[in-house]
Amino acid sequence: MDIVDETLREWRSGVFVYGQSDCMLSIGRYLARTGHDDVTGQFLGRYDTHEGAAAEIKAHGGIAGLMALAGAVAKDAHPARGDVVEVVYSGEQETCGIGGLCTGDGVALRLDRGTIEVALRFITYRGVWHGSR
């Protein structure tokens, strides 16, 4: 069992709570455990809705800005197990992104309805960052 498996077990057994254990903070904790700067304390308890999380992401330059804040290094290659991936999806009025964890052939996403894994071939992504420092 590696850090990816441990992280997924944690995500699946825990409760999703905005501002405490949501997708942004879950990726932040994963990055901290893999040697990146722990920036989660800046966000804990600052919001309690999807809209609040989205506002924090936007205020910090999107997923790429949050990744830079944690000291994660972008890569110009196909995602590999343990990398963080920004998965693109269509929001109500714009294209949005959510941070996911590459599991090898797929990407795990922590959502308010649970943790899901989607095969890489079915997603569109616009950023990949090395999962360990």
Side-chain angles (χ1 to χ4, degrees):
M1 183 173 284
D2 66 1
I3 188 74
V4 173
D5 291 329
E6 291 171 9
T7 299
L8 294 178
R9 184 178 63 206
E10 176 186 299
W11 290 4
R12 289 180 177 124
S13 65
V15 177
F16 181 103
V17 178
Y18 282 108
Q20 301 298 318
S21 57
D22 55 56
C23 50
M24 179 172 71
L25 291 167
S26 295
I27 291 292
R29 284 188 188 98
Y30 169 77
L31 287 170
R33 289 174 29 198
T34 59
H36 295 85
D37 297 334
D38 186 353
V39 298
T40 57
Q42 297 177 43
F43 302 99
L44 283 171
R46 292 192 54 171
Y47 55 90
D48 59 6
T49 63
H50 173 80
E51 293 76 20
E56 287 290 337
I57 292 169
K58 185 175 183 177
H60 288 86
I63 302 295
L66 291 171
M67 297 303 290
L69 187 65
V73 177
K75 64 187 262 188
D76 290 327
H78 193 72
R81 184 173 177 82
D83 288 342
V84 175
V85 179
E86 181 181 7
V87 176
V88 178
Y89 68 95
S90 295
E92 291 180 16
Q93 299 176 7
E94 62 186 328
T95 300
C96 302
I98 182 173
L101 179 57
C102 183
T103 60
D105 292 334
V107 175
L109 302 164
R110 190 165 197 197
L111 307 175
D112 57 355
R113 63 183 181 269
T115 298
I116 63 167
E117 190 171 346
V118 181
L120 276 168
R121 68 180 185 271
F122 295 127
I123 66 162
T124 301
Y125 58 89
R126 63 179 165 200
V128 179
W129 293 265
H130 292 278
S132 60
R133 222 171 189 184

